Amino acid sequence: MAFMKVGIIGLGKMGEALAYRMIKAGISVVGYDIDEHARKHLCSIGGNTVEKIEDFVHKDIHVFWLMVPQGVLVDRVINELKPCLQKGDIIVDGGNSKFIDSMQRARELALFDISFLDCGTSGGVRGREDGFCLMVGGDSRAYQAIEHIVKAVAVPHGYGLLGPSGAGHYVKMVHNGIEYALLQAYAEGFHLLRDGMFKDSRLNLEKVAEIWNHGSVIRSWILELVQEIMNEDQDFNGIAGNVEATGMGKWTVEQGHKSGVPVTLIEDSLKIRTWSQETGGNYATKLVALLRNKFGGHGVTKK
């Protein structure tokens, strides 16, 4: 069955972007958020809303896509949804939940013949226009039933079912751990360019990034964002260098230890973020903060 109606719970940056892409693809979206302005905005782009979760019971919806912060809030939303659910319905958790929590939720919902898919979501603020990268775990039949929706949300070839329940959030966890180390590596390199051997010559860091983005082995989207940042300002005097750690980097390190797999670079980058919160950081952590703002809309602390 090709479901052409989706209930989205959580209409923040990512939830709104998913709704926008579904609506563009001809999928009917009914959304809920505690923020009235978010609900009104969804209506302005072609969606419909409910004022409380229990109102979904009247909307003939069989696919619910959650974009809420990980942890107890996910369980709370699922519990509030239960009176609206029927056998065969599908819940997708597109947030950054811990994979073991997703495995448990899938087991519990299966007792009621409800399918639960965990969907790691990457792409940041640009995913709204360009499409997202979606990493899905769970029952293959449930995935096949909503694959057309996943395809509508994702960038071409940037989606897939990766394994059983928990696999999607596990892959996203490792993805974010890698992100920690990549950001730190770029940031430390540019810190050394700025304050190293040729600091008195004031190397043009935007030019360096531009050159590296054309043919070098370290060219990437992150480096393109570095170039954008350096074009705007190369001193970063107006911001602090504290960088948030949202949890997935920590989980990656914990899982590395449990599995006996060395994750030294990721662990070091996690420690640096903790250090930056305690000390205010340095030039490199300021660049990491600015990069996170560029791709994910994360906050930057102003001085």
Side-chain angles (χ1 to χ4, degrees):
M1 179 177 180
F3 297 106
M4 295 305 292
K5 196 172 188 180
V6 178
I8 297 182
I9 300 176
L11 299 171
K13 289 191 297 286
M14 299 293 276
E16 186 276 343
L18 292 172
Y20 169 77
R21 293 192 64 79
M22 290 181 196
I23 291 166
K24 276 186 62 177
I27 297 164
S28 176
V29 171
V30 180
Y32 169 75
D33 195 284
I34 58 172
D35 187 332
E36 181 183 357
H37 295 292
R39 298 198 303 270
K40 287 182 177 178
H41 174 72
L42 178 63
C43 292
S44 74
I45 63 171
N48 295 292
T49 61
V50 293
E51 293 189 0
K52 50 188 183 296
I53 288 178
E54 50 264 40
D55 290 343
F56 278 116
V57 74
H58 306 298
K59 298 298 182 180
D60 191 32
I61 297 172
H62 301 286
V63 179
F64 293 90
W65 203 298
L66 313 187
M67 295 301 294
V68 298
Q70 67 88 19
V72 294
L73 188 56
V74 177
D75 293 313
R76 189 182 308 160
V77 168
I78 291 173
N79 285 331
E80 290 182 28
L81 262 180
K82 281 181 179 177
C84 309
L85 299 173
Q86 302 176 34
K87 288 185 177 182
D89 285 357
I90 300 169
I91 295 176
V92 182
D93 179 6
N96 282 334
S97 292
K98 201 167 188 177
F99 72 94
I100 56 174
D101 293 339
S102 298
M103 295 166 70
Q104 180 63 27
R105 289 166 186 144
R107 285 193 292 267
E108 291 174 355
L109 287 166
L111 298 175
F112 302 93
D113 199 18
I114 306 297
S115 295
F116 180 88
L117 299 173
D118 49 286
C119 179
T121 307
S122 182
V125 294
R126 297 195 183 186
R128 188 181 193 270
E129 298 297 334
D130 299 340
F132 291 94
C133 172
L134 301 180
M135 301 146 261
V136 185
D139 178 71
S140 60
R141 289 174 297 177
Y143 174 77
Q144 289 166 9
I146 68 158
E147 187 174 5
H148 62 291
I149 303 172
V150 174
K151 183 178 180 179
V153 170
V155 71
H157 310 295
Y159 65 94
L161 180 67
L162 300 177
S165 295
H169 281 153
Y170 183 83
V171 172
K172 179 56 162 55
M173 177 193 73
V174 176
H175 164 286
N176 281 32
I178 293 170
E179 176 192 300
Y180 275 48
L182 284 174
L183 293 180
Q184 190 60 34
Y186 279 115
E188 290 179 7
F190 277 91
H191 191 181
L192 186 58
L193 289 172
R194 180 180 184 271
D195 292 337
M197 180 68 179
F198 291 95
K199 65 180 180 180
D200 294 333
S201 301
R202 299 287 292 176
L203 296 174
N204 185 333
L205 301 184
E206 188 217 349
K207 189 65 176 177
V208 172
E210 180 185 14
I211 291 170
W212 282 352
N213 272 317
H214 290 82
S216 85
V217 296
I218 61 168
R219 64 189 184 273
S220 69
W221 182 46
I222 294 175
L223 192 55
E224 291 174 9
L225 297 179
V226 171
Q227 184 179 343
E228 289 182 15
I229 290 167
M230 294 304 179
N231 181 54
E232 296 163 6
D233 175 28
Q234 298 189 15
D235 294 324
F236 313 154
N237 291 327
I239 66 167
N242 54 301
V243 184
E244 293 181 6
T246 55
M248 298 196 90
K250 180 181 178 182
W251 299 341
T252 306
V253 171
E254 290 174 349
Q255 191 60 35
H257 291 170
K258 288 179 182 177
S259 302
V261 176
V263 287
T264 308
L265 297 179
I266 297 172
E267 186 167 9
D268 285 347
S269 64
L270 178 63
K271 290 177 180 177
I272 290 168
R273 291 197 182 189
T274 302
W275 168 81
S276 78
Q277 294 161 19
E278 296 168 350
T279 65
N282 58 15
Y283 186 84
T285 59
K286 288 181 180 183
L287 181 52
V288 171
L290 289 167
L291 283 165
R292 294 179 77 247
N293 177 261
K294 276 282 186 184
F295 64 66
H298 302 286
V300 175
T301 304
K302 303 289 186 181
K303 277 191 175 179

